[in-house]
Amino acid sequence: MKITGVEIRTVEMPLVTPFRTSFGTETVREALLVRVVTGEAEGWGECGAGTAPLYSSEYTHAAADVLARYLIPALAGVPDLDAHRVAPALAPFKGHRMAKAALETAVLDADLRARGVPFGQALGAVRDTVPCGVSVGITESIPALLDAVAEYLDAGYLRIKLKIEPGWDIEPVRAVRERFGDIPLQVDANTAYGRADLRHLTGLDPFGLLLIEQPFAQDDLIGHARLAERITTPVCLDESIVSARAAADAIALGACQVVNIKPGRVGGHLEARRIHDVCAAHGVPVWCGGMLETGVGRAANIALAALPGFLLPGDTSASDRYYRTDLTPPFRLVDGHLAVPEGPGIGVTPIPEVLDDVTVRTTWVPL
Ligand SMILES: O=C(O)CCC(=O)N[C@@H](C(=O)O)c1ccccc1
């Protein structure tokens, strides 16, 4: 594949409601899109980094800079470029996995579109639709939380994930259980707790949760292993699982019994598939996480979520969970499921007038 150039585009997408997690509240999603232009096709990728480095060390401006200054130019010298050669070409540059993932996905998308191959088929999808869960942010009150959960259940979501943090954990879970019974329910702390909270977190065990996600710091595998020894609820890791090796180590240490796979967090869909394979080899179920992606990133996530080891509903919600107008034709929930795009590549393309409306910056990097 010969790339003629790459466009880096920053868009600002208003969220339908503020999204509050333990690491902050977002009302507008600033997202970075990468468009790879080749003689045969154009490919799209989305970088999940936030405006500020609150989920991980990456953030939108840094991702745009490292793409323009180092990552995209690094592809210039790669003979017979294809998606499998992107990660090795970018390996000399440390970190910046979300920026690397956006570029690799765009190269993969361009290649697949040129060959008429759907993303899901290329990755090894075995389903045409994927079951969908939804992530419910921290709300002002318990009644507001119950209203939000009721709305999502009415919309057909098959699993509820509650964001938790110190001071907002056992009570919200208890309230949801009392109102809605034994619906599929899990919690996500985004590293908000310390080992001193371990005993308190065992208080979540009686509620029959599907999992407790990433209560401790990204690098605290021992802390997660100790919690796992004290509770019957599976421990799930998100921020800690940055590679297939990290997944193998975490499983070996007993630090996780479930893994949330996010292609952006691990450097791309090819590493995401390797993590899927490592987990499958250890009998560890995985599910597809989300980072408020527009339809571009969402399409690729849905294709990934159709792989055989994705045994739990993911955060692949419908477009209207976050956006009144998505960049692409919206993903709509049908009986709690989203359809895996069937077209070549990721199967969707941003709608030009929508894209122009929300674009705040574009950079063209010729190769
Ligand atoms: O449904 C979604 O796209 C968001 C699901 C969700 O809660 N994502 C959280 C997370 O901690 O997993 C997140 C949001 C934005 C950025 C990083 C992470």
Side-chain angles (χ1 to χ4, degrees), residues 165-167 169-170 193 196-205 230:
E165 63 182 12
D169 45 33
I170 291 174
Y193 294 85
D197 301 309
L198 199 149
R199 177 190 300 272
H200 171 75
L201 289 168
T202 61
L204 287 168
D205 210 23
R230 299 272 300 271

Side-chain angles (χ1 to χ4, degrees), residues 19 23 26 29 48 55 135 161 163 188 190 213 238-239 260 262 290-293 298 315 317 322:
F19 184 63
F23 57 82
E26 280 193 280
R29 179 68 168 140
Y55 165 78
S135 179
K161 171 171 111 174
K163 290 293 183 179
D188 181 7
N190 288 113
E213 185 181 357
D238 169 0
E239 288 88 338
N260 164 345
K262 292 173 177 172
M291 296 198 281
L292 308 185
E293 287 91 350
R298 199 161 295 273
D315 285 343
S317 309
Y322 296 105

